[in-house]
Amino acid sequence: MAAAHRRRNRRPFALPRPRVFRDRLNLLESLEEDEVYQRYIFRPASIVFITNGLSNTLSRDTQRNQAIPPLLQVLVFLRFIATGAHLRLVGDSLNISESSVGRIVKDVAGAIVQIFRNFINFPAGERAAKVMEGFRRIAGFPKVLGCVDGTQIRISTPTENEADFVNRKGFHSLNVQMVCDPNFRVTSLCARWPGSCHDSRVWLRGFIKWSLSMAAYYMFCPPGRRKRISALCEPFSLNIMDEEIRK
């Protein structure tokens, strides 16, 4: 009886799934520049630059003839962060399995942190002089080292200290402070404060504020920020300046 019961409940034998070799064209060649930007929020030249920097890290030492190339891995990662879509949807758009997309996102993110960590650095020495000259040519204001502002980056609901990450707009986020030079290159980035923190606190506790506290430099901040923060200069209009002169 026991043997008959086992035979009745035995699972049918499943044949192994055949390997599927999917078409993986170079999307940078098949899409126009604007189409690439709409899908990946980066221009083709920038994507190639990122790929060249990560190619040694992302290349797999494997004998398989269908290994995912570094360029496609970078495109998968950029598509994921640009859309925030589910891994399966990202994989379907690029003919890659869901599990592979998960591994690629993790690998590319780690490689970017490892390889490009020295690309974002605050100007000093001769570079600082070039940055100040660039700002002077734009607005005629001397000794400006950068433009600073904070932005709320939406995140998933955290499991710990959840209330600290709710910003004034009512959603969970990180308050990210960034500084850029006259060519819109990011020279400083701080992404370790929860969304409930005010921009002034992020600035007062940051490295850039303390490094500028003893120097005669300025950082432009958007209108409406607190004026009593040292080293910050709030933009003003020429009309307001003319009114002050007439008084």
Side-chain angles (χ1 to χ4, degrees):
M1 294 294 296
H5 178 74
R6 285 196 299 269
R7 284 195 297 269
R8 285 197 304 267
N9 295 305
R10 182 181 301 170
R11 294 181 180 179
F13 179 74
L15 296 175
R17 296 178 59 184
R19 291 187 61 187
V20 177
F21 298 97
R22 299 175 178 175
D23 186 15
R24 294 170 179 169
L25 299 176
N26 186 346
L27 297 179
L28 299 185
E29 297 178 352
S30 59
L31 297 176
E32 298 292 337
E33 181 175 350
D34 292 339
E35 294 177 329
V36 172
Y37 182 79
Q38 292 173 0
R39 287 167 172 79
Y40 304 101
I41 319 299
F42 278 88
R43 301 291 180 184
S46 300
I47 296 177
V48 172
F49 174 80
I50 296 173
T51 304
N52 291 337
L54 303 178
S55 58
N56 293 333
T57 304
L58 299 179
S59 298
R60 299 288 188 267
D61 186 13
T62 177
Q63 301 297 324
R64 300 182 65 178
N65 57 358
Q66 292 294 322
I68 302 176
L71 175 59
L72 189 54
Q73 295 184 53
V74 172
L75 292 176
V76 169
F77 174 78
L78 295 179
R79 189 64 180 269
F80 174 74
I81 63 174
T83 62
H86 193 274
L87 298 179
R88 180 173 298 175
L89 297 179
V90 175
D92 290 344
S93 65
L94 295 170
N95 292 327
I96 296 178
S97 65
E98 180 181 359
S99 59
S100 296
V101 173
R103 289 192 297 268
I104 288 172
V105 170
K106 182 178 179 180
D107 293 343
V108 175
I112 289 176
V113 173
Q114 178 183 357
I115 303 298
F116 293 114
R117 64 173 57 190
N118 295 324
F119 273 63
I120 299 179
N121 48 55
F122 201 68
E126 183 179 352
R127 184 180 169 210
K130 293 181 179 179
V131 170
M132 288 188 287
E133 177 62 20
F135 279 112
R136 187 194 65 79
R137 292 180 179 179
I138 293 174
F141 201 97
K143 295 186 178 180
V144 175
L145 271 177
C147 297
V148 59
D149 195 12
T151 184
Q152 300 289 342
I153 304 298
R154 188 186 294 268
I155 61 173
S156 301
T157 303
T159 57
E160 298 181 0
N161 303 320
E162 179 267 340
D164 294 339
F165 292 88
V166 180
N167 59 30
R168 67 183 186 276
K169 299 179 181 179
F171 61 87
H172 299 87
S173 67
L174 292 176
N175 191 350
V176 179
Q177 176 188 275
M178 301 180 69
V179 181
C180 73
D181 64 9
N183 297 317
F184 304 104
R185 295 190 181 96
V186 177
T187 58
S188 176
L189 188 148
C190 179
R192 61 186 182 91
W193 291 92
S196 61
C197 291
H198 195 273
D199 288 352
S200 60
R201 182 178 182 182
V202 178
W203 169 261
L204 291 172
R205 298 294 182 87
F207 169 78
I208 300 299
K209 187 268 179 182
W210 294 109
S211 62
L212 295 176
S213 59
M214 302 302 294
Y217 301 129
Y218 298 97
M219 300 288 292
F220 270 117
C221 68
R225 301 299 189 233
R226 298 170 62 179
K227 295 182 180 180
R228 66 172 179 265
I229 301 178
S230 61
L232 287 181
C233 180
E234 187 167 337
F236 58 91
S237 66
L238 295 178
N239 294 332
I240 296 177
M241 184 178 66
D242 293 339
E243 294 177 1
E244 294 294 331
I245 293 175
R246 286 195 295 268
K247 292 180 181 179

